Amino acid sequence: MPPLPTYTQQPWTETYTEIIDVRSPQEFTEDHIPGAINLPVLYDSERVEVGTIYKQINPFQARKLGAALVAKNLSEHITQHFANKEKKYHPLVYCWRGGQRSLSMALVLSQIGWRVTLLEGGYKTYRAYVRQQIEELPKKFTYKILCGFTGSGKTHILQKMRERGAQVLDLENLAQHRGSLLGEEWQDKLSPQPSQKYFESLLLQQLQSFNPTQPIWIESESMKVGKIYLPKSLWEKMKQACCIEIQLPITARVKFLLQKYSHFIEYPDILKVKLEKLKYRYGWEKIHHWYQLIDAEKWELFIKDILHSHYDPTYRKSIQKHFSNIKQVRYLYDLSNESINALLDLSL
């Protein structure tokens, strides 16, 4: 007889051919085990329909409809996704609580002849593990913070550090946000930030890849990156860490920002909408002045003014409050490879 599915509460201790999340696409998007694929046994609208019938009409009627929909969806997945899987294929399957949705797929796959493991307790087991780990794991590392005014190329420098083998935690990349008013990630179009839960999943995955005997480099951030909050355990360790401050001439900072935020030059109306959020701090007169510089395409003047009026004072206040433990100040003429390599020779 084909083997029955087995259960685990610690899926991170074993390697699987594939991790399959059978929840609806909406549930999957909110959070999932990194690397998992989504093969829903009930899609969003189907899940709502079955749930509504279960609560408002008749549970037995809901189970009949649910069974029919699950059977239909499983049939599609078997013919489209599993058709070419080899006999040694060994997936981990999970749903919300490790109940009927994951079991329905696991039973069919095991009857075909594959070895299938179910996550006991489902996603809730995984989420409890993430919450526990994200509270404890950050405490085990030593951190070094890279500080500097907006436009100092901190993220760019950290990328160069990673290329040299340093451990770098790029929080802005994980959060899909550059940590400021104009900081949404943009790749041809605006990239939405992950949910708070999925950010924590990605953060945990990154931390687990690091060596606790080596320092982790992080850019100076606030506790909130866009709409994402850093875990308290990590934030407290960051505030205690030693800082290296990068200082760069204003002309070099402006040049770098023109390259980094070129999408706003192409879409000035989006830039104006974002700037409007600052009217409560600087008044309409300042906002209209920035609008005039944008309309006249005087980009260097605009960047210099917004740095002087907004970003630099904000940075000074944040550094004094959160990252006052500055051990070294490094002066760069520009962000050329030569300048950055000289910096890294001294810092790593």
Side-chain angles (χ1 to χ4, degrees):
M1 289 182 61
L4 291 173
T6 58
Y7 285 84
T8 182
Q9 286 190 327
Q10 297 181 313
W12 37 89
T13 62
E14 189 173 349
T15 301
Y16 302 93
T17 309
E18 201 162 49
I19 301 176
I20 303 173
D21 186 324
V22 303
R23 297 175 302 157
S24 68
Q26 185 175 353
E27 293 172 293
F28 181 82
T29 298
E30 182 182 12
D31 187 28
H32 56 269
I33 298 176
I37 63 168
N38 189 209
L39 297 179
V41 296
L42 286 175
Y43 288 87
D44 293 318
S45 60
E46 296 170 340
R47 181 168 167 261
V48 171
E49 182 182 9
V50 171
T52 300
I53 293 174
Y54 186 93
K55 292 180 180 179
Q56 298 183 5
I57 301 177
N58 185 294
F60 183 64
Q61 187 71 21
R63 285 194 288 268
K64 286 194 293 182
L65 174 61
L69 293 171
V70 167
K72 173 181 70 70
N73 293 330
L74 282 176
S75 175
E76 292 178 358
H77 294 322
I78 290 169
T79 56
Q80 295 176 15
H81 181 77
F82 296 105
N84 296 321
K85 302 298 183 186
E86 298 179 356
K87 188 172 178 57
K88 62 181 180 180
Y89 176 71
H90 176 203
L92 172 74
V93 180
Y94 71 93
C95 61
W96 177 250
R97 289 180 295 189
Q100 293 180 339
R101 285 190 287 175
S102 56
L103 183 60
S104 63
M105 175 176 282
L107 286 173
V108 171
L109 297 183
S110 63
Q111 287 300 304
I112 291 173
W114 287 307
R115 185 162 66 98
V116 182
T117 301
L118 281 164
L119 175 54
E120 187 175 347
Y123 166 79
K124 295 187 74 174
T125 294
Y126 166 72
R127 178 60 187 165
Y129 167 74
V130 171
R131 293 180 63 182
Q132 183 271 329
Q133 287 290 305
I134 214 69
E135 178 60 31
E136 297 299 327
L137 190 56
K139 301 175 184 177
K140 299 179 180 180
F141 295 97
T142 300
Y143 302 89
K144 290 188 176 182
I145 307 298
L146 194 66
C147 303
F149 285 110
T150 299
S152 299
K154 298 183 292 294
T155 301
H156 182 60
I157 292 170
L158 288 173
Q159 290 172 348
K160 295 295 184 182
M161 286 184 172
R162 180 185 284 121
E163 292 173 6
R164 286 204 181 190
Q167 295 189 144
V168 173
L169 181 57
D170 190 344
L171 294 171
E172 292 184 354
N173 182 56
L174 292 179
Q176 286 294 291
H177 199 282
R178 292 175 186 164
S180 67
L181 172 72
L182 308 180
E184 288 174 296
E185 286 295 317
W186 190 302
Q187 297 173 343
D188 297 328
K189 60 181 181 180
L190 287 174
S191 299
Q193 288 193 265
S195 69
Q196 180 70 37
K197 290 180 179 178
Y198 190 52
F199 169 79
E200 292 171 5
S201 289
L202 295 173
L203 175 60
L204 176 59
Q205 182 187 44
Q206 183 75 77
L207 289 173
Q208 288 175 330
S209 72
F210 289 146
N211 181 350
T213 66
Q214 300 295 323
I216 296 175
W217 287 86
I218 308 181
E219 180 177 339
S220 56
E221 302 283 356
S222 65
M223 190 177 184
K224 190 178 181 184
V225 185
K227 67 178 183 180
I228 298 296
Y229 287 90
L230 302 185
K232 183 179 179 181
S233 56
L234 175 61
W235 176 240
E236 292 300 324
K237 289 285 288 187
M238 288 173 62
K239 290 192 294 183
Q240 299 166 13
C242 296
C243 304
I244 293 180
E245 185 176 62
I246 304 300
Q247 292 199 4
L248 198 68
I250 185 67
T251 52
R253 292 166 59 200
V254 169
K255 180 180 178 181
F256 179 77
L257 290 170
L258 280 171
Q259 296 172 345
K260 198 70 174 176
Y261 290 87
S262 60
H263 48 273
F264 285 127
I265 296 177
E266 298 178 35
Y267 300 93
D269 290 341
I270 294 178
L271 174 59
K272 289 181 178 180
V273 170
K274 290 182 173 296
L275 292 174
E276 189 175 334
K277 297 177 182 178
L278 294 176
K279 65 182 180 181
Y280 76 98
R281 293 181 63 176
Y282 307 113
W284 273 113
E285 184 177 350
K286 173 60 76 173
I287 301 300
H288 283 304
H289 175 61
W290 286 337
Y291 286 178
Q292 290 171 354
L293 294 176
I294 292 169
D295 291 337
E297 298 185 356
K298 294 181 178 180
W299 294 107
E300 290 188 6
L301 290 176
F302 164 70
I303 292 175
K304 285 182 180 179
D305 195 36
I306 197 171
L307 288 176
H308 175 76
S309 302
H310 173 63
Y311 281 102
D312 290 359
T314 301
Y315 167 79
R316 291 190 190 96
K317 185 181 297 184
S318 176
I319 290 297
Q320 291 172 0
K321 183 176 182 180
H322 301 304
F323 301 108
S324 58
N325 189 20
I326 296 177
K327 294 297 186 182
Q328 299 174 357
V329 178
R330 301 297 189 193
Y331 299 93
L332 277 68
Y333 290 108
D334 55 31
L335 291 172
S336 65
N337 288 334
E338 182 180 6
S339 294
I340 293 175
N341 287 333
L343 167 69
L344 299 188
D345 289 341
L346 292 172
S347 303
L348 293 180

